Amino acid sequence: MDYKAMDDAELIKLYINGDEKALSTLINKHEQRIFSYILSKIQNRDLANDVFQDVFVKIIKVFRSGRYNEEGKFLNWALRISHNLVIDHFRKQKRIPTISNKDDFDIFDIVKDSTEDVETGMIREQIEKDLHRLILQLPPEQLEVLKLRHFSGLSFKDIADQTGVSINTALGRMRYALINLRKLMEHNNVSLSLS
Amino acid sequence: MDKTTILENNHQVNARPDRQTIANILNFSKAYRHEQTQSGIDIEIIQN
Protein backbone atom coordinates (compact mmCIF):
# COMPACT_ATOMS: atom_id res chain seq x y z
CA MET A 1 0.00 0.00 0.00
CA ASP A 2 1.36 3.45 -0.94
CA TYR A 3 0.77 5.42 2.25
CA LYS A 4 2.57 8.51 1.03
CA ALA A 5 0.10 8.93 -1.83
CA MET A 6 -2.87 8.94 0.54
CA ASP A 7 -4.61 12.06 1.82
CA ASP A 8 -5.16 12.76 5.51
CA ALA A 9 -8.73 11.45 5.58
CA GLU A 10 -7.64 8.08 4.14
CA LEU A 11 -4.73 7.77 6.57
CA ILE A 12 -6.97 8.61 9.53
CA LYS A 13 -9.56 6.07 8.43
CA LEU A 14 -6.89 3.38 8.15
CA TYR A 15 -5.47 4.28 11.56
CA ILE A 16 -8.87 4.18 13.24
CA ASN A 17 -9.26 0.69 11.75
CA GLY A 18 -6.02 -0.39 13.43
CA ASP A 19 -3.27 0.43 10.93
CA GLU A 20 -0.39 1.93 12.96
CA LYS A 21 1.68 2.66 9.84
CA ALA A 22 -0.99 5.15 8.77
CA LEU A 23 -0.39 7.16 11.96
CA SER A 24 3.35 7.10 11.39
CA THR A 25 2.81 8.49 7.86
CA LEU A 26 0.40 11.14 9.12
CA ILE A 27 2.92 12.33 11.74
CA ASN A 28 5.74 12.33 9.21
CA LYS A 29 3.63 14.40 6.82
CA HIS A 30 2.79 17.15 9.32
CA GLU A 31 5.47 17.02 12.02
CA GLN A 32 7.45 19.92 10.57
CA ARG A 33 4.52 22.37 10.45
CA ILE A 34 3.21 21.40 13.88
CA PHE A 35 6.58 21.24 15.64
CA SER A 36 7.78 24.51 14.08
CA TYR A 37 4.64 26.24 15.30
CA ILE A 38 5.12 24.93 18.87
CA LEU A 39 8.84 25.73 18.89
CA SER A 40 8.25 29.25 17.57
CA LYS A 41 6.03 29.95 20.58
CA ILE A 42 7.91 28.08 23.31
CA GLN A 43 11.49 28.72 22.14
CA ASN A 44 12.81 25.65 23.93
CA ARG A 45 13.42 22.45 21.99
CA ASP A 46 12.95 20.01 24.90
CA LEU A 47 9.72 21.61 26.04
CA ALA A 48 8.50 21.85 22.44
CA ASN A 49 9.08 18.08 22.10
CA ASP A 50 6.99 17.50 25.24
CA VAL A 51 4.14 19.65 23.91
CA PHE A 52 4.35 17.99 20.48
CA GLN A 53 4.03 14.59 22.17
CA ASP A 54 1.01 15.81 24.17
CA VAL A 55 -0.61 17.08 20.97
CA PHE A 56 -0.42 13.63 19.36
CA VAL A 57 -1.50 11.84 22.53
CA LYS A 58 -4.60 14.02 22.43
CA ILE A 59 -5.10 13.36 18.71
CA ILE A 60 -4.76 9.59 19.20
CA LYS A 61 -7.31 9.66 22.01
CA VAL A 62 -9.82 11.54 19.84
CA PHE A 63 -9.27 9.13 16.91
CA ARG A 64 -9.70 6.07 19.09
CA SER A 65 -12.80 7.39 20.85
CA GLY A 66 -14.52 7.86 17.47
CA ARG A 67 -15.03 11.60 18.10
CA TYR A 68 -12.99 12.82 15.13
CA ASN A 69 -15.11 14.66 12.56
CA GLU A 70 -12.89 17.28 10.97
CA GLU A 71 -13.36 15.85 7.47
CA GLY A 72 -10.09 16.51 5.72
CA LYS A 73 -8.93 19.49 7.76
CA PHE A 74 -6.55 17.54 9.96
CA LEU A 75 -3.68 20.04 9.96
CA ASN A 76 -5.87 23.00 11.00
CA TRP A 77 -7.33 20.92 13.79
CA ALA A 78 -3.90 19.70 14.93
CA LEU A 79 -2.59 23.29 14.93
CA ARG A 80 -5.58 24.37 17.04
CA ILE A 81 -4.77 21.62 19.56
CA SER A 82 -1.12 22.75 19.49
CA HIS A 83 -2.14 26.35 20.13
CA ASN A 84 -4.29 25.32 23.12
CA LEU A 85 -1.54 23.13 24.58
CA VAL A 86 1.03 25.91 24.18
CA ILE A 87 -1.30 28.13 26.20
CA ASP A 88 -1.75 25.37 28.80
CA HIS A 89 2.04 25.12 28.97
CA PHE A 90 2.39 28.86 29.70
CA ARG A 91 -0.41 28.68 32.27
CA LYS A 92 1.32 25.81 34.09
CA GLN A 93 4.65 27.60 33.89
CA LYS A 94 3.20 30.63 35.65
CA ARG A 95 1.97 28.41 38.50
CA ILE A 96 5.44 26.97 39.16
CA PRO A 97 7.05 28.96 41.99
CA THR A 98 10.43 30.48 41.19
CA ILE A 99 13.31 31.12 43.56
CA SER A 100 13.70 34.79 44.28
CA ASN A 101 16.89 36.65 45.16
CA LYS A 102 17.58 36.91 48.86
CA ASP A 103 19.82 39.95 48.47
CA ASP A 104 18.26 43.37 48.71
CA PHE A 105 19.43 44.22 45.23
CA ASP A 106 17.73 42.57 42.30
CA ILE A 107 18.70 43.64 38.80
CA PHE A 108 15.20 42.69 37.56
CA ASP A 109 13.68 45.41 39.75
CA ILE A 110 15.51 47.90 37.56
CA VAL A 111 15.16 46.30 34.15
CA LYS A 112 11.63 44.99 34.77
CA ASP A 113 9.41 45.41 31.73
CA SER A 114 5.96 46.61 32.70
CA THR A 115 4.41 45.62 29.36
CA GLU A 116 2.50 42.38 29.06
CA ASP A 117 4.75 39.46 28.14
CA VAL A 118 4.13 37.28 25.07
CA GLU A 119 2.79 34.35 27.10
CA THR A 120 0.27 36.46 29.02
CA GLY A 121 -0.73 38.12 25.76
CA MET A 122 -1.43 34.75 24.14
CA ILE A 123 -3.47 33.58 27.12
CA ARG A 124 -5.40 36.87 27.19
CA GLU A 125 -6.11 36.59 23.47
CA GLN A 126 -7.41 33.04 23.93
CA ILE A 127 -9.58 34.12 26.89
CA GLU A 128 -11.12 36.91 24.82
CA LYS A 129 -11.85 34.50 21.97
CA ASP A 130 -13.39 31.93 24.36
CA LEU A 131 -15.45 34.57 26.12
CA HIS A 132 -16.71 36.07 22.86
CA ARG A 133 -17.74 32.62 21.61
CA LEU A 134 -19.62 31.88 24.85
CA ILE A 135 -21.32 35.28 25.09
CA LEU A 136 -22.81 34.79 21.63
CA GLN A 137 -24.57 31.65 22.91
CA LEU A 138 -26.62 33.65 25.45
CA PRO A 139 -30.32 34.34 24.80
CA PRO A 140 -30.68 37.66 22.86
CA GLU A 141 -32.24 39.69 25.71
CA GLN A 142 -29.46 38.63 28.13
CA LEU A 143 -26.79 39.26 25.50
CA GLU A 144 -28.16 42.77 24.94
CA VAL A 145 -28.03 43.71 28.65
CA LEU A 146 -24.54 42.24 29.03
CA LYS A 147 -23.26 44.20 26.02
CA LEU A 148 -24.84 47.49 27.16
CA ARG A 149 -23.52 47.08 30.69
CA HIS A 150 -19.99 45.79 30.08
CA PHE A 151 -19.08 47.03 26.62
CA SER A 152 -21.05 50.29 26.45
CA GLY A 153 -20.77 51.02 30.19
CA LEU A 154 -24.43 52.03 30.60
CA SER A 155 -26.13 52.18 34.00
CA PHE A 156 -29.00 49.77 34.65
CA LYS A 157 -31.39 52.74 34.51
CA ASP A 158 -30.13 53.64 31.01
CA ILE A 159 -30.29 49.98 29.96
CA ALA A 160 -33.89 49.81 31.23
CA ASP A 161 -34.81 52.97 29.27
CA GLN A 162 -33.06 51.82 26.10
CA THR A 163 -34.54 48.32 26.07
CA GLY A 164 -38.01 49.35 27.27
CA VAL A 165 -38.06 47.21 30.43
CA SER A 166 -38.00 47.97 34.17
CA ILE A 167 -34.70 48.28 36.07
CA ASN A 168 -35.56 45.05 37.92
CA THR A 169 -35.99 43.18 34.65
CA ALA A 170 -32.67 44.53 33.36
CA LEU A 171 -30.97 43.46 36.61
CA GLY A 172 -32.60 40.03 36.38
CA ARG A 173 -31.45 39.57 32.79
CA MET A 174 -27.92 40.51 33.79
CA ARG A 175 -28.03 38.03 36.66
CA TYR A 176 -29.23 35.21 34.40
CA ALA A 177 -26.66 36.17 31.74
CA LEU A 178 -23.86 35.68 34.29
CA ILE A 179 -25.37 32.42 35.61
CA ASN A 180 -25.70 31.09 32.06
CA LEU A 181 -22.21 32.25 31.14
CA ARG A 182 -20.82 30.35 34.13
CA LYS A 183 -22.74 27.22 33.06
CA LEU A 184 -21.46 27.57 29.48
CA MET A 185 -17.90 27.90 30.79
CA GLU A 186 -18.27 24.71 32.83
CA HIS A 187 -19.94 22.87 29.96
CA ASN A 188 -17.23 23.92 27.47
CA ASN A 189 -14.42 23.41 29.98
CA VAL A 190 -13.27 27.01 29.51
CA SER A 191 -11.02 28.71 32.04
CA LEU A 192 -10.91 32.50 32.06
CA SER A 193 -7.95 32.76 34.40
CA LEU A 194 -4.66 34.35 33.33
CA SER A 195 -2.72 32.28 35.87
CA MET B 1 34.32 43.24 1.09
CA ASP B 2 32.38 40.15 2.00
CA LYS B 3 28.96 40.28 0.34
CA THR B 4 27.70 36.99 1.67
CA THR B 5 24.17 37.19 3.05
CA ILE B 6 23.41 34.83 5.88
CA LEU B 7 19.75 33.92 6.22
CA GLU B 8 19.10 33.17 9.86
CA ASN B 9 16.44 30.64 10.71
CA ASN B 10 15.20 32.46 13.80
CA HIS B 11 11.67 31.21 13.43
CA GLN B 12 12.70 27.56 13.24
CA VAL B 13 10.44 27.06 10.23
CA ASN B 14 12.08 23.79 9.29
CA ALA B 15 12.34 22.27 12.73
CA ARG B 16 11.32 18.68 13.29
CA PRO B 17 10.74 16.89 16.59
CA ASP B 18 13.29 14.42 18.00
CA ARG B 19 13.04 10.83 16.71
CA GLN B 20 12.60 9.71 20.33
CA THR B 21 9.47 11.87 20.60
CA ILE B 22 8.00 10.20 17.51
CA ALA B 23 8.90 6.78 18.92
CA ASN B 24 7.15 7.68 22.21
CA ILE B 25 3.98 8.68 20.33
CA LEU B 26 3.94 5.49 18.26
CA ASN B 27 4.52 3.37 21.38
CA PHE B 28 1.68 5.17 23.14
CA SER B 29 -0.56 4.52 20.16
CA LYS B 30 0.20 0.78 20.23
CA ALA B 31 -0.46 0.59 23.99
CA TYR B 32 -3.58 2.78 24.15
CA ARG B 33 -7.06 1.32 24.00
CA HIS B 34 -10.38 3.11 24.30
CA GLU B 35 -13.56 1.30 25.19
CA GLN B 36 -17.06 2.32 26.08
CA THR B 37 -19.29 0.41 28.49
CA GLN B 38 -22.94 -0.32 27.70
CA SER B 39 -23.90 2.49 30.07
CA GLY B 40 -21.81 4.92 28.00
CA ILE B 41 -18.82 5.29 30.32
CA ASP B 42 -15.50 5.81 28.50
CA ILE B 43 -12.64 3.59 29.64
CA GLU B 44 -9.01 4.27 28.69
CA ILE B 45 -6.56 1.36 28.91
CA ILE B 46 -2.77 1.44 28.55
CA GLN B 47 -1.50 -2.07 27.78
CA ASN B 48 2.08 -3.07 28.47
Side-chain angles (χ1 to χ4, degrees):
Chain A
M1 212 163 0
D2 187 3
Y3 289 89
K4 286 190 177 170
M6 290 181 191
D7 64 23
D8 293 345
E10 288 172 305
L11 290 168
I12 292 164
K13 201 173 171 187
L14 277 177
Y15 173 67
I16 290 170
N17 289 326
D19 188 336
E20 295 286 336
K21 181 100 186 350
L23 176 68
S24 175
T25 310
L26 192 68
I27 294 173
N28 188 264
K29 194 171 163 189
H30 298 295
E31 63 179 25
Q32 191 175 315
R33 282 286 305 276
I34 296 170
F35 187 75
S36 297
Y37 172 76
I38 296 168
L39 187 57
S40 72
K41 300 294 176 197
I42 292 185
Q43 296 289 323
N44 176 308
R45 205 178 152 82
D46 290 338
L47 291 174
N49 269 285
D50 287 347
V51 173
F52 181 86
Q53 191 170 308
D54 289 345
V55 168
F56 272 92
V57 163
K58 205 158 197 168
I59 287 170
I60 288 166
K61 286 184 174 183
V62 173
F63 283 162
R64 288 280 173 77
S65 67
R67 286 182 285 126
Y68 180 73
N69 60 357
E70 286 289 308
E71 291 171 7
K73 295 170 191 164
F74 170 76
L75 183 60
N76 289 344
W77 175 64
L79 286 171
R80 270 206 309 279
I81 294 176
S82 306
H83 178 76
N84 290 338
L85 290 187
V86 165
I87 286 170
D88 284 353
H89 160 78
F90 287 136
R91 275 188 175 137
K92 275 184 212 154
Q93 206 178 40
K94 280 180 184 290
R95 274 189 229 123
I96 298 169
T98 51
I99 299 163
S100 57
N101 279 4
K102 291 207 169 140
D103 300 335
D104 287 341
F105 175 76
D106 186 345
I107 186 69
F108 290 107
D109 286 340
I110 298 165
V111 298
K112 194 155 58 182
D113 184 1
S114 61
T115 57
E116 192 174 70
D117 58 41
V118 177
E119 294 87 348
T120 308
M122 278 185 73
I123 297 170
R124 184 183 296 284
E125 193 182 306
Q126 185 65 41
I127 286 173
E128 283 169 4
K129 274 186 196 163
D130 286 342
L131 194 57
H132 186 248
R133 185 167 50 84
L134 295 182
I135 284 173
L136 292 178
Q137 292 179 45
L138 289 172
E141 67 279 3
Q142 292 171 21
L143 175 66
E144 186 180 30
V145 174
L146 191 80
K147 275 183 176 171
L148 292 172
R149 178 72 185 145
H150 281 284
F151 300 106
S152 305
L154 295 189
S155 68
F156 279 105
K157 187 182 178 308
D158 291 338
I159 294 171
D161 290 345
Q162 197 163 319
T163 56
V165 296
S166 69
I167 293 179
N168 274 344
T169 303
L171 282 165
R173 284 178 179 174
M174 184 67 191
R175 184 168 169 267
Y176 282 112
L178 295 176
I179 290 170
N180 285 333
L181 203 51
R182 204 165 289 136
K183 280 184 193 164
L184 284 166
M185 279 165 59
E186 282 168 12
H187 182 71
N188 290 279
N189 201 18
V190 167
S191 162
L192 300 184
S193 166
L194 267 175
S195 56
Chain B
M1 197 174 122
D2 184 8
K3 290 189 177 177
T4 310
T5 304
I6 299 167
L7 295 172
E8 290 187 22
N9 185 18
N10 288 332
H11 301 289
Q12 288 118 346
V13 286
N14 295 317
R16 285 184 182 271
D18 295 346
R19 291 306 92 190
Q20 186 56 51
T21 304
I22 305 294
N24 291 345
I25 293 166
L26 296 177
N27 285 338
F28 171 82
S29 171
K30 282 175 195 150
Y32 180 79
R33 292 284 169 273
H34 178 276
E35 285 170 18
Q36 198 170 48
T37 63
Q38 283 183 335
S39 52
I41 298 167
D42 288 312
I43 301 173
E44 293 179 289
I45 305 161
I46 306 285
Q47 292 173 327
N48 284 323

